């Protein structure tokens, strides 16, 4: 019984049964004119006609049910057009037309389902890589359990060839993991103690012990799947417009057919207009491209929030980037200690800076603390009071002293005297591309320390790659000093440099670019850049695999810490929007040609439905081209150029 149920519910069951009945009817018509009965109302009723009506009933019942359900929620859809045309054809004795129209529609629907499922293949592949089992250490023994049964904090064993079942941190062992399912990067990544790992990645060698930090729905893979599901169902602005258009278009076709039927007295013409006016390809033209485009992006480690953001990304002509962690690696190291205070030495200046930075969350604090620890300085304990000053530095009370660490504006705010020497040191260090910080203890300048962040290897290619993707201008928005920003900007080739910006200044800079008519994408770390990211037309988070917040909130989340994913994302967005436009043209041209063919003669209901279904399949196949991987090679290196900042603060 279950096999029979499965056969009948298979997408191809109805087309096969209906098609078989049509073939049988045609054969009977060729070889015999056997009449079942004859009445005054219907005349001779042949067996072939009965089989044709049966074929129409088999194929059309589901169509009619769908039409009635749609009417129940006040929607006039394609199913209603086909139902009216088929019923009308039977009433006027056009049994072949009724059978052909419904059978072709059923075949087309089955083909649509089959090909549409391929556009969602990326999501299916993501689901497929989700691990089923995990090997955990319990009571000193390795125990195999369901992946969802792992408890946070447990130790999970990952052997060669196994899938990582949880998000976690390596606590022992080394190995190489294929992270393509998460980041889109095909080269395995070496893992050692302290490194993060993600569920769904595959071991390509080694032996790892992992402490589980995220399990089940709390893994990065689960969040990616959830985000892709939501994104593929989210509608673009163009799709919303097309839905509204279809809501008026379909009733309009019914009215047009009725007018033509009454005006010409040709019922067949009216019914044919119903069939060829079906907006199937038009309705599906946009969502199928969006599903394919977002799916392709997900396979490449790019999460796009939805169709609206995909469309907007295709319009981006200005990209604004933060410096630290975006153009640079985000792991600065101490490079200089300049002693200025009377009776102080290097250890004193660095020591006071380290004591202050123990209470700081600033990205540069780690560089100071690592350097102080390497030199064996004592900076244990936390400050009594820590007060960050946005865009200027930090004020700390520790060991009975007030310590300032920041830029000249901080010293000016607290009226620290004799800061000229510090300002000169700051200018000299900044000119070398380093980030200087003045250290003041009490009311005296102790010295200046400087850190430098290594520019990413592919940062110099970013601007050319973005230009190749259609971006007109790349802008740096940074809170760093102008000299540091210009040193990095000239090395990378940034078009415009906006330096010494507070978080609200970055927001203002983005707003000014938008006011000038630009569509702006902002790339940042999501902390100091949060206002600008929220204001930009597209907010981009890079290296989002380790951030649940970025995966859920960013308009575009680049899972890998790879700058070149940004032009790839913009290029894919433009390809997808172009694909949508192509599909709309295909759909409109098909309907126009069919209408002309009906009015001029030669296009029947069956031919109209055949061409209609063919146009639907062409639209889907065209969208499936987006599933093909397209790589965007980095441009050849070119000499760096010096650019002047456009905005000054």
């Amino acid at each position: 019984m279950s096999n029979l149920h499965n056969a009948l519910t298979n997408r191809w069951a109805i087309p096969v049964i209906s098609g078989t009945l049509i073939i049988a009817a045609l054969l009977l018509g060729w070889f015999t004119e056997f009449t079942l009965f004859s009445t005054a109302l219907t005349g001779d009723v042949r067996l072939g006609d009965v089989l044709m009506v049966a074929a129409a009933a088999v194929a059309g019942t589901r169509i009619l049910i769908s039409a009635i359900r749609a009417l129940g929620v006040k929607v006039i859809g394609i199913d209603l057009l086909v139902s009216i045309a088929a019923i009308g054809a039977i009433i006027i004795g056009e049994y072949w037309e009724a059978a052909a129209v419904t059978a072709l529609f059923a075949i087309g629907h089955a083909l649509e389902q089959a090909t549409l499922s391929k556009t969602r293949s990326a999501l299916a592949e993501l689901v497929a890589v989700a691990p089923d089992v995990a090997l955990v250490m319990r009571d000193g023994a390795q125990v195999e359990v369901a992946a969802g049964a792992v408890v946070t904090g447990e130790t999970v064993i990952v052997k060669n060839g196994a899938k990582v079942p949880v998000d976690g941190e390596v606590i022992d062992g080394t190995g190489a993991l294929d992270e393509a399912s998460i980041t889109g990067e095909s080269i395995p990544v070496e893992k050692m103690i302290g490194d993060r790992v993600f569920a769904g990645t595959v071991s390509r060698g080694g032996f790892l012990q992992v402490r589980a930090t995220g399990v089940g729905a709390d893994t990065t893979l689960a969040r990616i799947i959830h985000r892709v599901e939501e994104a593929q169902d989210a509608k673009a602005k163009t799709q919303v417009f097309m839905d509204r258009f279809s809501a008026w278009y379909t009733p309009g076709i019914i009215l047009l057919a009725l007018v033509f039927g009454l005006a010409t007295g040709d019922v067949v013409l009216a019914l044919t207009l119903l069939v060829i006016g079906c907006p199937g390809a038009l309705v599906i033209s946009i969502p199928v491209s969006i599903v394919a485009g977002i799916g392709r992006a997900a396979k490449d480690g790019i999460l796009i929030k939805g169709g609206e953001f995909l469309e907007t990304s295709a319009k981006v002509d200005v990209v604004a980037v933060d410096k630290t962690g975006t153009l640079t690696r985000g792991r600065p190291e101490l490079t200089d200690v300049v002693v200025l205070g009377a009776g102080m030495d290097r250890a004193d200046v660095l020591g006071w800076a380290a004591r202050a930075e123990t209470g700081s969350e600033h990205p540069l604090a780690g560089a100071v603390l690592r350097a102080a620890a390497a030199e064996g300085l004592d900076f244990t304990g936390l400050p009594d009071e820590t007060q960050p000053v946005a865009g200027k530095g930090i004020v700390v009370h520790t060991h009975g002293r007030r310590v300032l660490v920041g830029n000249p504006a901080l010293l000016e705010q607290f009226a620290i005297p004799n800061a000229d020497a510090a300002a000169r040191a700051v200018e000299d260090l900044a000119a070398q591309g380093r980030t200087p910080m003045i250290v003041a203890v009490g009311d005296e300048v102790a010295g200046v320390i400087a850190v430098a962040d290594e520019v990413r290897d592919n940062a110099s290619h970013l601007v050319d790659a973005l230009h190749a993707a259609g971006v007109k201008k790349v802008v740096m928005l940074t809170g760093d000093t102008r000299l540091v920003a210009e040193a990095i900007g000239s090395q990378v080739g940034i078009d415009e440099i906006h330096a010494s910006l507070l978080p609200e200044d970055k927001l203002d800079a983005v707003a000014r670019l938008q006011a000038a008519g630009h569509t702006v994408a902002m790339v940042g770390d999501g902390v100091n850049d949060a206002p600008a990211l929220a204001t930009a037309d597209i907010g981009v988070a890079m290296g989002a695999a380790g951030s649940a917040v970025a995966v859920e909130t960013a308009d575009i989340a680049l899972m890998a810490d790879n700058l070149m994913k940004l032009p790839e994302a913009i290029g894919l967005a433009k390809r997808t929007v172009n694909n949508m436009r192509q599909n709309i043209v295909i759909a409109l041209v098909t309907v126009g040609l069919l209408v002309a063919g009906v009015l001029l003669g030669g296009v029947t209901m069956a031919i109209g439905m055949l061409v209609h279904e063919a146009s639907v399949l062409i639209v889907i196949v065209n969208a499936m081209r987006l599933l093909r991987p397209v790589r965007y090679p980095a441009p050849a290196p070119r000499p760096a150029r010096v650019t002047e900042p456009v905005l000054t603060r």
Side-chain angles (χ1 to χ4, degrees):
M1 183 64 73
S2 62
N3 291 335
L4 178 61
H5 177 267
N6 291 337
L8 292 176
T9 54
N10 184 282
R11 67 167 66 102
W12 292 106
I14 288 177
V16 168
I17 295 171
S18 179
T20 302
L21 289 171
I22 290 174
I23 292 172
L26 291 173
L27 291 174
L28 282 172
W30 286 336
F31 294 113
T32 179
E33 291 292 331
F34 178 71
T35 300
L36 286 177
F37 56 88
S38 179
T39 68
L41 180 63
T42 62
D44 292 343
V45 177
R46 296 186 296 272
L47 178 58
D49 295 335
V50 172
L51 292 177
M52 284 293 187
V53 173
V58 169
T61 299
R62 183 178 291 178
I63 301 170
L64 180 61
I65 291 172
S66 296
I68 293 172
R69 288 176 177 172
L71 284 174
V73 292
K74 300 180 180 179
V75 174
I76 299 176
I78 301 169
D79 293 328
L80 182 62
L81 297 182
V82 177
S83 299
I84 294 173
I87 292 171
I90 291 174
I91 291 174
I92 64 175
E94 296 286 346
Y95 306 123
W96 151 250
E97 297 284 4
V101 164
T102 52
L104 285 170
F105 190 81
I107 293 170
H109 183 67
L111 285 170
E112 288 171 36
Q113 288 182 315
T115 50
L116 274 174
S117 65
K118 292 186 180 296
T119 65
R120 290 186 177 268
S121 61
L123 182 58
E125 289 177 19
L126 283 173
V127 174
V129 302
D132 298 319
V133 297
L135 197 61
V136 299
M137 295 298 297
R138 291 181 178 175
D139 298 325
Q142 296 183 16
V143 181
E144 187 175 283
V145 300
V150 178
V151 178
T152 301
E154 280 192 307
T155 298
V156 177
I157 304 299
V158 181
K159 299 180 179 180
N160 182 25
K163 289 181 182 178
V164 179
V166 297
D167 282 4
E169 179 182 344
V170 178
I171 58 175
D172 195 14
T174 59
L177 296 183
D178 180 351
E179 296 185 335
S181 59
I182 303 295
T183 65
E185 302 290 340
S186 58
I187 301 175
V189 180
E190 293 294 331
K191 298 292 182 179
M192 57 187 65
I193 295 174
D195 288 341
R196 296 196 62 177
V197 299
F198 305 106
T201 57
V202 181
S203 174
R204 296 305 184 197
F207 182 90
L208 298 173
Q209 295 185 44
V210 176
R211 178 173 59 83
T213 58
V215 299
D218 195 34
T219 63
T220 298
L221 178 63
R223 284 190 288 269
I224 291 174
I225 292 172
H226 174 67
R227 171 55 65 203
V228 174
E229 285 176 334
E230 286 189 335
Q232 289 188 333
D233 291 332
K235 293 185 177 181
K237 290 181 180 178
T238 306
Q239 185 180 348
V240 173
F241 170 78
M242 293 303 297
D243 288 346
R244 292 174 180 170
F245 173 76
S246 297
W248 291 97
Y249 173 85
T250 308
I253 287 294
I254 295 176
L255 180 61
L256 179 66
L258 180 61
V259 170
F260 267 89
L262 292 175
T264 63
D266 190 340
V267 178
V268 174
L269 173 64
L271 295 177
T272 304
L273 281 174
L274 285 179
V275 171
I276 62 95
C278 290
L282 195 61
V283 170
I284 205 172
S285 60
I286 297 170
V288 70
S289 296
I290 289 174
V291 167
I294 288 177
R296 178 67 256 172
K299 292 181 72 171
D300 292 335
I302 301 167
L303 295 188
I304 302 175
K305 202 171 186 178
E308 178 181 352
F309 302 96
L310 189 71
E311 273 192 315
T312 304
S313 298
K315 300 174 185 176
V316 167
D317 60 350
V318 172
V319 172
V321 296
D322 183 34
K323 177 180 71 66
T324 304
T326 304
L327 297 176
T328 61
R329 295 192 178 279
R331 186 179 170 83
E333 299 295 340
L334 185 78
T335 57
D336 300 87
V337 177
V338 179
V339 180
L340 297 175
M344 290 193 175
D345 58 16
R346 175 187 173 92
D348 293 327
V349 176
L350 183 55
W352 282 113
R355 295 184 191 102
E357 296 290 5
T358 54
S360 172
E361 296 181 352
H362 195 279
L364 300 182
V368 178
L369 297 178
R370 287 192 298 272
E375 296 187 19
L377 302 181
D378 180 18
F379 56 93
T380 57
L382 293 175
D384 300 322
E385 182 182 345
T386 300
Q387 178 188 351
V389 182
K392 297 180 181 180
I394 188 171
V395 181
V396 171
H397 288 85
T398 181
H399 293 72
R401 307 292 296 273
R402 185 191 70 186
V403 182
L404 309 180
V405 180
N407 57 27
L410 182 67
L411 269 63
E412 182 179 347
Q413 177 177 331
F414 284 85
I416 303 299
N418 302 320
D420 293 343
R424 287 194 297 271
V426 164
E427 187 173 343
D428 291 341
L429 291 167
Q432 301 173 49
R434 298 166 185 171
T435 301
M437 295 176 284
I438 303 172
V439 181
V441 181
D443 291 329
E444 181 185 0
V445 174
V448 179
I449 59 175
V451 298
D453 194 0
E454 183 182 0
V455 176
R456 292 176 183 268
D457 295 336
N458 55 5
S460 61
H461 299 314
L462 177 65
V463 176
D464 285 340
L466 286 171
H467 287 166
V471 174
K472 297 178 181 176
K473 188 161 53 179
V474 182
V475 180
M476 178 197 291
L477 303 180
T478 179
D480 219 332
T481 63
R482 184 178 313 284
L483 290 173
V484 172
E486 288 178 349
I488 300 297
S490 63
Q491 181 178 345
V492 174
I494 296 295
D495 296 312
E496 293 181 6
I497 300 170
H498 302 203
S500 301
L501 302 183
L502 300 176
E504 55 267 31
D505 296 327
K506 293 182 180 182
L507 183 154
D508 292 340
V510 169
R512 280 194 289 272
L513 288 166
Q514 291 172 320
H518 296 294
T519 301
V520 182
M522 173 71 191
V523 188
D525 59 18
V527 182
N528 293 329
D529 304 321
L533 285 166
T535 302
D537 298 284
I538 294 292
V540 182
M542 192 172 69
S547 171
V549 174
V551 170
E552 293 296 329
T553 61
D555 300 329
I556 295 180
L558 309 179
M559 304 307 291
D561 194 24
N562 182 353
L563 275 177
M564 301 311 292
K565 288 290 182 181
L566 179 58
E568 188 173 331
I570 294 174
L572 177 61
K574 291 182 182 293
R575 286 175 54 218
T576 303
V577 169
N578 287 336
N579 192 273
M580 289 162 50
R581 291 169 180 162
Q582 292 166 6
N583 283 347
I584 292 172
V585 170
I586 291 170
L588 292 176
V589 168
T590 300
V591 171
L593 291 175
L594 284 175
V595 170
V598 170
L599 297 180
L600 295 175
V603 174
T604 64
M605 270 192 283
I607 293 174
M609 181 54 67
L610 179 63
V611 175
H612 167 266
E613 291 303 328
S615 70
V616 171
L617 291 177
I618 290 172
V619 161
I620 296 174
V621 171
N622 185 47
M624 287 174 62
R625 293 190 303 115
L626 293 169
L627 296 175
R628 296 181 303 182
V630 177
R631 298 301 173 193
Y632 300 86
R638 51 158 173 68
R641 53 198 165 149
V642 178
T643 57
E644 292 298 325
V646 171
L647 300 180
T648 59
R649 302 298 302 175

